[in-house]
Amino acid sequence: MTETVSTMTQARPAGLHLGRLFERIALLVVWVGLIAIFGALMPQSFLNWGNFSIIFASYAPAALLALAIIVPLTAGDYDLSVGATLTLSSALIGVLNVWHHLPIGLVLVLALAAGAVVGAVNALFIIFFRIPSLVVTLGTTSLMTGIVQWMTNSSTIGGIDNALVMAVVGGRLFGVPYAFYYAAAAVVVLGYVFDYTPLGRRLLFVGRGREVARLNGIAVDRVRFGALIASGVLAAAAGIVYAGVLGSADPYSGLNFLLPAFAAAFLGATTILPGRFNPWGAVVAVYFLATGITGLTMLGIPLWVTNVFNGGALILAVTISQLTRGREASDIG
Amino acid sequence: MTETVSTMTQARPAGLHLGRLFERIALLVVWVGLIAIFGALMPQSFLNWGNFSIIFASYAPAALLALAIIVPLTAGDYDLSVGATLTLSSALIGVLNVWHHLPIGLVLVLALAAGAVVGAVNALFIIFFRIPSLVVTLGTTSLMTGIVQWMTNSSTIGGIDNALVMAVVGGRLFGVPYAFYYAAAAVVVLGYVFDYTPLGRRLLFVGRGREVARLNGIAVDRVRFGALIASGVLAAAAGIVYAGVLGSADPYSGLNFLLPAFAAAFLGATTILPGRFNPWGAVVAVYFLATGITGLTMLGIPLWVTNVFNGGALILAVTISQLTRGREASDIG
Amino acid sequence: MSDVPSAIGRVAEPGAPRALPVLDVADIAKTFGGAKALRGVSFSVAPGEVHGLLGKNGSGKSTLVKILAGFHAPDHGGRLAFNGEMVDLPLKPGDFRRLGMSFVHQNLGLVPSLTVLENLRFAHLTTARSGYIDWRAERAAAREALGRFGLSIDTAERVDRLSPVERALLAIVRAFEEIRVACAATGKPGLVLLDEPTPFLPREGVEKLFGLIRSIAATGSSVIFISHDIDEVMTITDRITVLRDGALAGALETAKATHEEVVEMIVGRRIARLGTPGHQAAVAKPAFLRVSGVAGGALAATDLVVGKGEILGVTGLIGSGYEELPYLIFGARPCRAGALDFVDGAHVPLAAMSPKRALDLGLALLPGDRQGASGVDSLPIVDNMFLPDVDRFFRFGLLNRRAMVREAFALGTRYEVRPNDPAMKLSALSGGNAQKVLIARWMNRNPRLLLLDEPTQGVDVGTRVQIFAALRAAAAAGMSVLCASSDAEQLAEICDRVLIFARGRVCAEITGPDLTKDGIAEACYASIDLTGRTAPAAPALAS
Amino acid sequence: DAAADGLAAAKEKLAKYAAKPVFVPPGEPFDAKACAAGKKMLSIPNSSANPFLKGIIDRMKKAGAEVGLEVTEWENQGQPSQWVQGVEFAIRDKYDIVDLISGIDPATIEPQVKAAKEAGVKVMTSHFYDPSDTQNPFVSSSLTIGFGEVGTVLANWAAVNTEGKANILVIKSDEVPPTKPLMEGLRSELAANCPNCKIVQEVNVGVTEWATKIQPSVQSAVQANPDIDVVIPIYDSMSQFVVPALRLTGKTGTVKVATFNGTPFVLDYIQQGLVDMDLGESLDWIAYATVDGHLRDLCGLGSPAALNVPFYIFDKANAAEAGTPAGYDQGYGDAYLSGFRTLWKLQ
Ligand SMILES: Nc1ncnc2c1ncn2[C@@H]1O[C@H](COP(=O)(O)OP(=O)(O)OP(=O)(O)O)[C@@H](O)[C@H]1O
Ligand SMILES: Nc1ncnc2c1ncn2[C@@H]1O[C@H](COP(=O)(O)OP(=O)(O)OP(=O)(O)O)[C@@H](O)[C@H]1O
Ligand SMILES: O[C@@H]1[C@@H](O)[C@H](O)OC[C@H]1O
Ligand SMILES: [Mg+2]
Ligand SMILES: [Mg+2]
């Protein structure tokens, strides 16, 4: 019982390493390729920093929303309510700031708190009553949609405090509006938490093996609870940035963000750290799709093509990622 | 070692039997209660057969869509693409019948075939490439949305052959337009398949334990494939009925039906056969929600309340169902 | 002995009977990714024969079984004949049923969230030609089948509400029922494949199973029996085929072989049976932990003391409650009452116990359900190894991944995990190697008390010996161990003391010279009389 | 009496919209080619998925080409963040005009409108504000459209077609800004000209919920209030869900439907007897008027305050003029074509 045969090389043929590396950066490569193509077609208007700075800023709410989704998704829960939470948050800002004249600082705190409350309500039903997360968040989506319509009288509320607008799209750093940096900060923080902290490991184990996590001393319910709250708060933050970008509160758009954000979360799980929902991947996916849509729009290509692009990119990327791993059952979804 | 201790009484206290029975009919009871309340408030306008016949007919597409969802859901796959398939089917009818003057009979066959193709494409990616169903159907939703916009130039197409309109809402039986009977026929057939055929058991086994089903000789892939095709065809049928009800093809509405249909599927899994997706339950849920919405709007209550009602009813019903079974982990979702 | 009739035209192995074999396989190979699970296995099973299929963990037994179930497609080139009929590989789903095979799979192959009726009548419910299911008739058929085996289980109960024993029995009843129907239909001998059916069975269940096996063999049908329990294999089989690393290691006629020969063929080298060393002078160890009044599940208020550096075994008939003990002490399952008193004075009421608290107190638990409760298959070995310890690698605000991998590699080397690549997913390891990783996880923390539930279930003899040695060494260094197991042999080999449970209470204590496999088994059966009960706590098999 | 006087007034006011539209020059003739030379305009529709708006932009491209103005569409799905991108794009690519068409409230994207103004890009709106609205301070000029006037036409039509006793169900979308002036026009005109008319119920449905909520709402309303005899879906795309509701409740023909926009499939509905009246505008006319108005602002000639595109009533009597199936520009005559060309000194 002394011999220890190393099967390492045997188990991981050299080709595999390259394949995996390729998979990690494939989406980035395709992104660069896309930029190159649009750049060649429109060297003036597409290939300039101004264009990218605007893509970065205007998709910041979408990026935050994709991040909001992957936190509970990693812990094994679906949160469909992030779209409605985004709307709720921006509607609250409109109603409280514009109609009730509350100071914007206070209003932002209240919006984030509302996001936390949504997360807590979801968590109550998901964790305490043990109802599937898909069902609960489908229900709260409908509930919040109704509440927002009631609050806003179903109308767009313009005239949000200029301080918010300035803080989101007024100021620029390297030509890029601040909005982007809020999303970037969220990615950095989440990326750090996911990869470099024990909390990130716990999240992952809770998502992949609840009972295992529990027996290893992880407070599973607390981790799931925290993930849902984080999701609510991030979605509310997305709502704040959205309100800041627009300078107004729109009671209907939130749900339009939902499916694309999920698509980005899944697409992001094919890159950087393939097979896992990861913040960097999610954000790369958001901006990859944004680049495609912007480029197509600038070329004046009809709108329906962007829908085809969105759907096609998702399916294609996941399929290719799947093929590099020999079609083994996927760990995501 | 001759004595045989029965574990029956031990495992199922008498109270449980009653509790289970109550659970099976709870939603029906609440439905009757709802009708009683609205009936008391509006004895003339609510409590008449005409009103119900209209509810029955106008929610027939929604009922078909809920049925489309539960087939793959029982087999363990999410089909988010049913909404887009509904739209695709009705858009095809509009384009082929109105613009290209194909006879309506042929067009209906083509619409159903398109639904089958959608199901087959979903199945290809889900089963052959082993991509999570949520991801695939999210992608095909976006793809189909684009294709529909291209086909229809994003415009509503009126003037669909009157024969279809007559066949769907023109003729009546017991005062109820035929539309309802198409949905009813689908429920009866599906109810029979689910409960009284080997195919129904195969579906259930595949959904509850894929590996086990395969170990026990079930052609799992074929069953899942069939379920996805069935879902596509049923969603296309919903699109046909929808086109018949409207007399026109609307390129946008499909997605709006998606979340309510999922809500009905989950709500339906709390009744008739609690803990399992079941056709009767799904349809009861659709008409329960329809009754609530109709009653509320007849009372002149603003529309936002119906969203709250939808979300609240879903969460409440599932929670109560969960409480009767002592909060054990749920089998649905 | 040469020209044995064989449908696939090869020379049969020595000792093979002359009749047309029920099952005859040749050159079956299976590659998973790059790993070869089977490398050209050939053997045959004669009518009426009980055939043992043995091998270390990962040697490919279950893979072979699953190929016969049509679950895995074997590599190209294998051949299969059943009752003389050549059958195309891979088998299509359900082919096995047409041929006349039935299975009890390693994990039983039941769907937990469905009912006893649905699971038991699986074959009929999913393949009935009539196109209409008559539920009344199905229920009657199910009751009759259960009745034939003397089982009384509510057919409407969900399988996940059954006890492990009931579940195992259900799977066994199903396999024997299916083979009965199949033989009646084909008029030819059938084949029942039992992949480690015994770990969950109480002794009398095993005996009843052996009775069934013999009766089915008497009708001319055959049985393939897989187990890591050599004594069981010696008792029931006629012949034995041994796999090693996916290849045929040899075949034996049971009657002509000894226990030691079988073990040697399995592991490929001689292993000294640990026997019963050191039990003669059971020196009382100083107490480390006093467990008082612990009650939960089937366990009534129970007191016991664990010594420092002691390996304490707990066992009993299934349903006697001993198997709950590790989970209750660890706070993994709700406790009705009880408290822990540590030698250092710490007093912990069990109602307030949680896994987190237990870990802080220096306890560790290795659950019996490896995949469901112990490790996460889809995550890397290194993360699984240090799951409770990640905080240790979190320095200066960063998780030190490099250090984790380095330490995991060292641990892997120490516990002979093969292959020792910490970045691989746990699922890439065989069951036994995965178990080594999980044991390493806990041993590495130097717990004061290690709680084990069936630590070597499904683990081959070679690996077992390794695990035992590691436990001994740790105990010698002062770690206490509480090991719940139904495996008397294992308890006899490693324990200093064994407590026998009956009806939720400790009813006997075995130490010193009595601490042998037979001694423990005897005590278990005596326990029935000791507590004066007339009925076992769990549904039993009527004779 | 008051009722009869009101009815007479209503009839008289309606007559104007039943006559073939005539062209009224919005200002002095000017050298449009010189003005437009080398200039470009980015048109952002409320949503590219709206065929009505897409139709306007396609025709604006054609009209612009006649004078040399380059018109580009910013394709979008109705999401404000995409409008934001469009304005930013225009600033960067040095467009001269950003045209926000029909539904984009400049207040919704005020930061970008302000930035455009500062960058020297003129942001103009068309077919959005009612003359009674106050224009956003960062907007250069607006070609308003009389949504209030539309409301009055709908009110008068309802009064006249029920002999002054209309019981009206209104379907509206409050989140679309034009709804407000339209509803005000509708209410005040009813009050003025039809003392015995009343709005029985107003149902507010968000645009995204039209498909799921309008049909059941209309069904419920006409069942709960059987005396409803006119349904006014204020935007005619809503009528595809009103028509089936009336069909199912058996009210087709007895309950009248009056609406606004002139979308072709609704004009078809009129020919089929499913809808009674649609107040339409010619897309092509709108396109020429928009190009004309924006050029005037760009070249400092002073923009007209309104689009000056006439409304025209389609009903059973004249719906066939729009074609079978109906088109977007048919039935309005083509007086505007030579009118604008003359103004622009092209002929
Ligand atoms: N998914 C996989 N990817 C790569 N290698 C694998 C995978 N699964 C198994 N292996 C390798 O195949 C070999 C045999 O593993 P297998 O699980 O068959 O062992 P086993 O006989 O079940 O052993 P045990 O008795 O320990 O369970 C091992 O070396 C293992 O590392
Ligand atoms: N689905 C799979 N994918 C990859 N490798 C697998 C798979 N199933 C089994 N293996 C590998 O095949 C080898 C044989 O496993 P198998 O389960 O047949 O072993 P076994 O002899 O039954 O072992 P045990 O005694 O532990 O049950 C192992 O290395 C295992 O890891
Ligand atoms: O037709 C337009 C409609 O589509 C939009 O939503 O609001 C303004 C209307 O003029
Ligand atoms: Mg095995
Ligand atoms: Mg194994």
Side-chain angles (χ1 to χ4, degrees):
Chain A
M1 281 178 39
T2 43
E3 70 292 298
T4 308
V5 183
S6 168
T7 44
M8 277 185 73
T9 46
Q10 181 186 327
R12 316 187 104 201
L16 242 154
H17 275 297
L18 262 179
R20 285 284 149 101
L21 178 68
F22 167 75
E23 194 188 359
R24 291 180 67 129
I25 59 161
L27 191 64
L28 285 167
V29 171
V30 177
W31 188 13
V32 171
L34 203 64
I35 292 174
I37 294 173
F38 287 130
L41 293 172
M42 303 170 283
Q44 300 293 311
S45 51
F46 187 85
L47 222 51
N48 72 52
W49 186 237
N51 182 33
F52 286 101
S53 77
I54 286 154
I55 295 182
F56 284 137
S58 52
Y59 281 85
L64 282 168
L65 211 60
L67 294 177
I69 285 173
I70 63 168
V71 179
L73 217 43
T74 298
D77 291 306
Y78 292 105
D79 188 352
L80 298 183
S81 71
V82 289
T85 308
L86 179 150
T87 315
L88 179 70
S89 153
S90 77
L92 261 183
I93 296 173
V95 171
L96 297 181
N97 178 246
V98 181
W99 289 355
H100 294 284
H101 312 292
L102 292 194
I104 189 74
L106 174 64
V107 168
L108 297 192
V109 172
L110 290 176
L112 291 176
V117 170
V118 173
V121 170
N122 284 334
L124 170 72
F125 286 99
I126 295 172
I127 297 165
F128 183 72
F129 290 117
R130 307 181 71 176
I131 301 175
S133 54
L134 211 60
V135 180
V136 173
T137 55
L138 201 58
T140 50
T141 292
S142 188
L143 264 174
M144 280 191 277
T145 305
I147 291 172
V148 167
Q149 291 174 359
W150 161 74
M151 272 192 339
T152 61
N153 288 329
S154 305
S155 54
T156 302
I157 305 175
I160 288 175
D161 194 323
N162 200 45
L164 178 62
V165 175
M166 291 316 290
V168 172
V169 287
R172 296 188 180 217
L173 193 64
F174 308 121
V176 183
Y178 290 161
F180 170 69
Y181 298 99
Y182 300 129
V187 184
V188 171
V189 171
L190 275 191
Y192 166 75
V193 171
F194 270 52
D195 281 348
Y196 294 102
T197 67
L199 182 59
R201 289 301 96 170
R202 291 200 192 106
L203 209 58
L204 193 56
F205 271 91
V206 165
R208 297 289 178 88
R210 260 188 208 149
E211 184 63 7
V212 175
R214 194 175 74 87
L215 292 182
N216 279 275
I218 296 175
V220 170
D221 288 350
R222 216 179 319 153
V223 170
R224 291 174 73 195
F225 194 88
L228 287 161
I229 300 263
S231 167
V233 172
L234 276 166
I240 292 177
V241 174
Y242 188 56
V245 169
L246 297 183
S248 64
D250 163 21
Y252 284 102
S253 34
L255 279 184
N256 296 325
F257 282 107
L258 183 63
L259 296 193
F262 263 92
F266 287 120
L267 184 53
T270 66
T271 191
I272 315 287
L273 225 67
R276 291 192 195 166
F277 295 107
N278 65 90
W280 292 100
V283 168
V284 165
V286 167
Y287 286 115
F288 163 76
L289 293 174
T291 305
I293 294 170
T294 306
L296 290 171
T297 307
M298 287 171 69
L299 282 174
I301 300 231
L303 182 70
W304 64 267
V305 178
T306 61
N307 281 319
V308 172
F309 172 78
N310 271 340
L314 175 64
I315 294 183
L316 220 68
V318 179
T319 303
I320 291 171
S321 161
Q322 199 59 1
L323 289 178
T324 53
R325 44 186 60 214
R327 296 202 284 123
E328 73 188 12
S330 159
D331 297 324
I332 59 163
Chain B
M1 280 178 48
T2 43
E3 67 293 298
T4 306
V5 181
S6 166
T7 46
M8 280 184 70
T9 46
Q10 184 184 325
R12 315 188 107 201
L16 243 153
H17 273 298
L18 261 179
R20 284 284 150 99
L21 179 69
F22 167 74
E23 194 189 357
R24 291 179 68 131
I25 60 161
L27 191 64
L28 286 167
V29 171
V30 178
W31 189 12
V32 171
L34 204 63
I35 293 175
I37 294 174
F38 287 130
L41 293 173
M42 302 170 284
Q44 299 293 310
S45 49
F46 187 84
L47 222 51
N48 72 55
W49 187 238
N51 183 33
F52 286 99
S53 78
I54 288 161
I55 296 180
F56 284 138
S58 52
Y59 282 86
L64 282 168
L65 211 60
L67 293 177
I69 286 173
I70 64 169
V71 179
L73 217 43
T74 298
D77 291 305
Y78 292 105
D79 188 352
L80 298 184
S81 71
V82 290
T85 307
L86 179 150
T87 314
L88 178 71
S89 155
S90 76
L92 261 182
I93 296 173
V95 171
L96 297 181
N97 178 245
V98 181
W99 290 354
H100 294 284
H101 311 292
L102 293 193
I104 189 74
L106 174 64
V107 168
L108 296 192
V109 172
L110 291 176
L112 291 177
V117 169
V118 173
V121 170
N122 284 334
L124 171 73
F125 287 98
I126 294 172
I127 296 165
F128 183 71
F129 291 115
R130 305 181 73 175
I131 302 175
S133 54
L134 212 59
V135 180
V136 172
T137 55
L138 202 57
T140 50
T141 292
S142 188
L143 265 173
M144 280 192 276
T145 305
I147 291 172
V148 168
Q149 289 174 355
W150 161 74
M151 272 191 340
T152 60
N153 288 328
S154 304
S155 51
T156 300
I157 305 176
I160 288 176
D161 194 325
N162 201 45
L164 178 62
V165 177
M166 289 317 289
V168 172
V169 287
R172 299 193 178 212
L173 192 64
F174 308 119
V176 182
Y178 290 161
F180 170 69
Y181 297 99
Y182 301 130
V187 184
V188 171
V189 171
L190 275 191
Y192 173 76
V193 171
F194 270 52
D195 281 349
Y196 291 104
T197 67
L199 182 59
R201 285 307 103 172
R202 285 204 283 269
L203 212 56
L204 188 60
F205 280 114
V206 165
R208 293 295 175 87
R210 223 161 254 172
E211 297 280 289
V212 175
R214 219 155 73 77
L215 267 180
N216 283 292
I218 294 181
V220 169
D221 289 350
R222 215 179 318 151
V223 171
R224 291 174 72 194
F225 193 88
L228 287 162
I229 301 263
S231 166
V233 172
L234 275 167
I240 292 178
V241 175
Y242 189 55
V245 170
L246 293 186
S248 63
D250 167 23
Y252 289 104
S253 21
L255 279 184
N256 297 318
F257 284 105
L258 184 62
L259 295 194
F262 263 92
F266 287 120
L267 183 54
T270 66
T271 191
I272 314 286
L273 227 66
R276 293 189 185 174
F277 295 107
N278 67 88
W280 292 101
V283 169
V284 166
V286 167
Y287 286 113
F288 163 75
L289 293 175
T291 305
I293 293 171
T294 305
L296 288 171
T297 44
M298 283 176 85
L299 284 174
I301 295 198
L303 274 183
W304 65 264
V305 178
T306 63
N307 284 322
V308 172
F309 173 77
N310 272 341
L314 175 63
I315 296 183
L316 219 68
V318 179
T319 304
I320 291 169
S321 162
Q322 199 58 2
L323 289 178
T324 51
R325 44 185 62 212
R327 294 202 284 126
E328 73 188 13
S330 158
D331 297 323
I332 60 164
Chain C
M1 298 256 273
S2 56
D3 26 45
V4 175
S6 167
I8 50 187
R10 66 186 163 78
V11 177
E13 65 270 30
R18 281 154 194 282
L20 186 69
V22 172
L23 176 76
D24 196 359
V25 296
D27 300 327
I28 300 291
K30 174 70 192 174
T31 314
F32 288 114
K36 280 204 171 301
L38 289 173
R39 319 165 179 262
V41 171
S42 310
F43 75 103
S44 64
V45 179
E49 180 184 58
V50 180
H51 196 104
L53 186 59
L54 304 190
K56 290 201 290 184
N57 295 131
S59 56
K61 306 178 293 293
S62 299
T63 304
L64 188 61
V65 169
K66 288 179 180 173
I67 286 173
L68 293 175
F71 186 87
H72 289 315
D75 299 346
H76 199 71
R79 282 157 298 155
L80 164 68
F82 201 87
N83 280 326
E85 176 199 346
M86 286 298 301
V87 185
D88 285 337
L89 288 173
L91 289 169
K92 287 183 287 300
D95 260 0
F96 67 82
R97 211 163 267 144
R98 178 178 61 78
L99 295 170
M101 286 189 259
S102 72
F103 298 85
V104 172
H105 288 287
Q106 190 159 9
N107 48 12
L108 302 181
L110 301 173
V111 182
S113 69
L114 297 181
T115 63
V116 168
L117 173 65
E118 283 165 324
N119 276 283
L120 183 60
R121 301 286 296 163
F122 195 109
H124 189 254
L125 286 176
T126 57
T127 58
R129 290 259 165 267
S130 69
Y132 176 81
I133 297 176
D134 180 352
W135 285 104
R136 191 182 295 265
E138 292 296 327
R139 247 188 314 274
R143 290 215 184 95
E144 194 191 323
L146 291 170
R148 239 196 307 278
F149 292 86
L151 276 175
S152 170
I153 310 175
D154 181 1
T155 55
E157 192 55 282
R158 284 164 54 119
V159 164
D160 54 9
R161 291 175 193 252
L162 301 184
S163 70
V165 190
E166 287 174 318
R167 263 177 252 167
L169 291 173
L170 179 61
I172 290 168
V173 170
R174 180 171 71 178
F176 282 95
E177 275 295 295
E178 285 182 9
I179 207 69
R180 198 176 53 81
V181 173
C183 288
T186 62
K188 291 185 189 155
L191 175 65
V192 186
L193 296 100
L194 305 168
D195 192 351
E196 300 195 40
T198 51
F200 286 107
L201 291 186
R203 160 78 74 113
E204 70 271 23
V206 173
E207 265 150 25
K208 171 75 180 176
L209 173 65
F210 284 2
L212 288 171
I213 291 176
R214 287 191 190 101
S215 68
I216 204 96
T219 68
S221 288
S222 315
V223 175
I224 289 182
F225 180 75
I226 299 174
S227 174
H228 288 291
D229 185 320
I230 312 294
D231 288 341
E232 282 176 7
V233 174
M234 301 302 286
T235 309
I236 190 67
T237 62
D238 303 313
R239 281 198 306 147
I240 294 172
T241 294
V242 178
L243 299 181
R244 199 188 303 141
D245 299 332
L248 207 60
L252 293 166
E253 255 180 276
T254 312
K256 295 182 188 154
T258 65
H259 190 289
E260 281 70 25
E261 280 168 344
V262 175
V263 171
E264 191 176 338
M265 188 171 280
I266 291 173
V267 298
R269 64 198 131 86
R270 190 171 296 275
I271 290 187
R273 261 191 126 176
L274 290 178
T276 54
H279 289 318
Q280 292 81 352
V283 200
K285 302 248 164 64
F288 159 69
L289 167 68
R290 184 178 306 277
V291 181
S292 44
V294 51
L299 209 60
T302 300
D303 300 326
L304 54 89
V305 175
V306 187
K308 177 144 182 72
E310 182 187 38
I311 303 183
L312 174 64
V314 294
T315 188
L317 294 177
I318 298 282
S320 60
Y322 75 91
E323 68 274 30
E324 315 253 9
L325 199 54
Y327 299 93
L328 293 174
I329 293 178
F330 196 69
R333 289 181 194 164
C335 241
R336 286 194 301 271
L340 305 182
D341 285 285
F342 290 88
V343 65
D344 60 14
H347 173 84
V348 187
L350 278 174
M353 193 58 141
S354 70
K356 174 94 181 63
R357 185 90 193 272
L359 285 172
D360 293 341
L361 287 164
L363 272 50
L365 168 72
L366 184 69
D369 176 6
R370 187 162 55 226
Q371 287 184 330
S374 202
V376 173
D377 265 356
S378 67
L379 292 177
I381 292 169
V382 52
D383 292 306
N384 272 291
M385 245 181 203
F386 297 122
L387 179 51
D389 296 312
V390 262
D391 290 318
R392 188 154 62 77
F393 296 93
F394 189 60
R395 286 206 203 100
F396 312 114
L398 282 182
L399 203 58
N400 190 343
R401 190 91 193 145
R402 199 181 292 254
M404 283 175 79
V405 171
R406 208 181 315 118
E407 197 174 323
F409 187 81
L411 262 182
T413 311
R414 180 134 49 92
Y415 287 88
E416 302 194 20
V417 175
R418 271 177 258 173
N420 186 14
D421 179 353
M424 263 172 39
K425 287 184 185 176
L426 189 66
S427 60
L429 291 184
S430 76
N433 279 297
Q435 188 76 340
K436 290 184 207 166
V437 168
L438 299 168
I439 287 184
R441 168 205 288 169
W442 296 121
M443 301 286 270
N444 186 46
R445 307 188 84 216
N446 287 319
R448 294 195 293 168
L449 172 65
L450 177 60
L451 302 159
L452 302 170
D453 179 22
E454 301 289 3
T456 60
Q457 191 175 90
V459 169
D460 69 59
V461 275
T463 308
R464 257 166 96 126
V465 170
Q466 271 176 270
I467 292 174
F468 291 169
L471 288 176
R472 283 255 174 76
M479 179 179 79
S480 305
V481 177
L482 186 139
C483 174
S485 174
S486 59
D487 182 344
E489 182 171 7
Q490 155 169 321
L491 292 171
E493 279 184 36
I494 59 167
C495 293
D496 301 311
R497 189 163 58 104
V498 170
L499 300 176
I500 312 288
F501 282 65
R503 300 200 113 193
R505 295 203 152 77
V506 179
C507 70
E509 184 183 74
I510 308 182
T511 51
D514 296 337
L515 195 43
T516 61
K517 183 179 177 184
D518 292 339
I520 293 170
E522 263 170 43
C524 281
Y525 287 93
S527 69
I528 298 174
D529 303 330
L530 273 177
T531 55
R533 74 173 176 174
T534 50
L541 296 157
S543 43
Chain D
D1 62 340
D5 295 348
L7 208 55
K11 270 196 182 119
E12 192 192 321
K13 285 182 111 175
L14 276 184
K16 176 178 153 204
Y17 302 99
K20 275 283 168 228
V22 290
F23 178 74
V24 183
E28 295 299 311
F30 70 109
D31 186 349
K33 268 195 165 152
C35 167
K39 300 293 196 314
K40 48 185 189 171
M41 168 160 90
L42 186 72
S43 287
I44 309 182
N46 188 2
S47 162
S48 301
N50 182 334
F52 177 77
L53 305 182
K54 190 148 189 93
I56 294 178
I57 294 179
D58 287 343
R59 289 162 177 82
M60 275 166 60
K61 288 180 186 166
K62 189 188 64 164
E66 289 190 29
V67 292
L69 177 73
E70 186 191 330
V71 178
T72 314
E73 175 180 4
W74 185 258
E75 299 261 356
N76 73 86
Q77 290 166 297
Q79 291 178 28
S81 56
Q82 294 169 321
W83 308 336
V84 166
Q85 266 193 293
V87 179
E88 301 275 8
F89 170 71
I91 297 171
R92 219 178 43 251
D93 253 35
K94 307 207 177 350
Y95 275 79
D96 303 281
I97 305 172
V98 169
D99 177 26
L100 303 179
I101 302 183
S102 197
I104 303 183
D105 186 344
T108 306
I109 51 169
E110 193 173 279
Q112 291 73 29
V113 176
K114 183 163 167 256
K117 181 180 180 184
E118 281 157 9
V121 181
K122 293 192 166 194
V123 178
M124 309 177 190
T125 75
S126 63
H127 203 275
F128 172 69
Y129 285 120
D130 182 76
S132 67
D133 291 329
T134 341
Q135 171 184 295
N136 182 285
F138 303 108
V139 168
S140 170
S141 67
S142 290
L143 298 165
T144 61
I145 165 168
F147 288 106
E149 183 186 348
V150 171
T152 64
V153 176
L154 293 171
N156 288 329
W157 189 90
V160 168
N161 285 273
T162 54
E163 264 96 47
K165 306 188 283 287
N167 285 305
I168 304 172
L169 168 66
V170 176
I171 313 293
K172 58 178 185 171
S173 290
D174 279 339
E175 96 271 21
V176 184
T179 301
K180 203 170 153 234
L182 196 155
M183 286 304 298
E184 276 162 12
L186 180 68
R187 287 195 202 97
S188 60
E189 194 74 359
L190 271 188
N193 289 348
C194 193
N196 296 328
C197 292
K198 69 168 188 283
I199 297 179
V200 178
Q201 196 176 341
E202 290 180 20
V203 181
N204 176 22
V205 190
V207 177
T208 55
E209 296 187 327
W210 284 5
T212 44
K213 298 278 168 74
I214 291 179
Q215 191 191 334
S217 301
V218 173
Q219 286 167 186
S220 303
V222 299
Q223 299 239 102
N225 307 287
D227 47 349
I228 287 176
D229 52 7
V230 178
V231 179
I232 300 182
I234 61 172
Y235 304 121
D236 69 4
S237 291
M238 293 168 161
S239 58
Q240 66 176 313
F241 307 108
V242 173
V243 164
L246 295 181
R247 183 156 44 211
L248 271 174
T249 47
K251 306 267 188 176
T252 306
T254 52
V255 172
K256 297 190 162 59
V257 180
T259 183
F260 156 63
N261 274 154
T263 306
F265 81 89
V266 184
L267 301 181
D268 291 338
Y269 276 172
I270 296 180
Q271 299 187 38
Q272 293 156 17
L274 300 170
V275 166
D276 299 277
M277 186 279 265
D278 194 359
L279 184 65
E281 311 159 277
S282 159
L283 294 199
D284 204 38
W285 198 321
I286 294 175
Y288 275 87
T290 307
V291 169
D292 176 85
H294 287 352
L295 279 180
R296 285 171 194 271
D297 177 359
L298 185 65
C299 302
L301 300 173
S303 173
L307 259 179
N308 284 322
V309 175
F311 298 117
Y312 182 54
I313 288 180
F314 285 100
D315 56 19
K316 189 88 183 161
N318 67 353
E321 292 170 14
T324 313
Y328 270 112
D329 309 312
Q330 285 153 283
Y332 301 91
D334 52 9
Y336 62 96
L337 275 179
S338 58
F340 279 113
R341 286 180 184 143
T342 311
L343 273 185
W344 293 349
K345 299 187 173 159
L346 296 178
Q347 58 188 35

